Amino acid sequence: MHRNRWFIALLIFGILGIGFADTAMAKRKKKKGPDGRALYKEYCKPCHMADSDNGEYTPMSYIQDQWTRFFDEQYEETHKDVLDPNHDNKPVTEAISDDQLQSIRDFAINAAADSEHPMTCG
Ligand code: HEC
């Protein structure tokens, strides 16, 4: 009986411990790397503001699945021939580095319409 109680106590502490470690890691992850929101503002917003001919797109224009599909399947195809006048007229896909795109992608998905904190990019 005694042993059982210890076992359960340990189990509960174990689960709590994992929970804490997880939140701590999630917090650290958020801080690290380039700021997706700032990057979105610099690299996406100029072409996708309200009333833009290319359509207005902010993170909350799409749900998370749509952003995932966009970055996985559409972005390269629909942006490789689009020149970005704000970045030396390079094709969008070249103006934005892989690291930067990863941050923009994380930001868009984290702020999507069905995320916990839907956002425009401000
Ligand atoms: C230099 C202008 C320009 C920049 C910069 C730009 N886009 Fe686009 N975007 C376009 C054009 C042009 C289209 C195609 C519109 C069409 O086909 O009607 C488009 C289409 C889209 C679409 C609609 C789906 C699709 O693939 O057609 C989404 C979503 C999108 N862009 C998001 C983004 C994001 C996110 C960024 C930043 C990583 C970005 N765009 C940067 C010009 C731009």
Side-chain angles (χ1 to χ4, degrees):
M1 205 53 211
H2 239 67
R3 285 239 308 268
N4 256 345
R5 236 184 273 157
W6 271 110
F7 179 68
I8 288 167
L10 270 176
L11 201 71
I12 289 170
F13 277 121
I15 290 167
L16 281 178
I18 291 169
F20 278 128
D22 252 354
T23 15
M25 248 155 64
K27 272 196 192 132
R28 218 172 307 141
K29 214 171 150 194
K30 256 190 204 151
K31 277 197 187 138
K32 154 186 137 217
D35 180 355
R37 182 185 180 133
L39 290 169
Y40 194 104
K41 248 178 160 162
E42 183 180 349
Y43 288 96
C44 310
K45 199 181 176 189
C47 289
H48 292 297
M49 290 189 286
D51 301 327
S52 162
D53 288 343
N54 312 317
E56 179 187 5
Y57 292 105
T58 75
M60 52 182 287
S61 303
Y62 275 180
I63 59 170
Q64 296 180 328
D65 279 357
Q66 290 174 309
W67 277 121
T68 305
R69 207 173 318 131
F70 169 73
F71 284 110
D72 284 349
E73 296 166 17
Q74 293 163 274
Y75 166 75
E76 181 71 33
E77 197 52 40
T78 50
H79 290 78
K80 68 177 174 2
D81 297 324
V82 180
L83 303 182
D84 185 349
N86 298 310
H87 296 96
D88 304 326
N89 268 325
K90 283 191 214 152
V92 177
T93 48
E94 280 174 38
I96 303 173
S97 74
D98 289 348
D99 272 2
Q100 288 172 324
L101 190 69
Q102 186 60 46
S103 298
I104 292 172
R105 176 189 178 124
D106 288 347
F107 168 63
I109 291 173
N110 282 328
D114 62 337
S115 69
E116 273 179 48
H117 304 289
M119 276 197 269
T120 67
C121 54

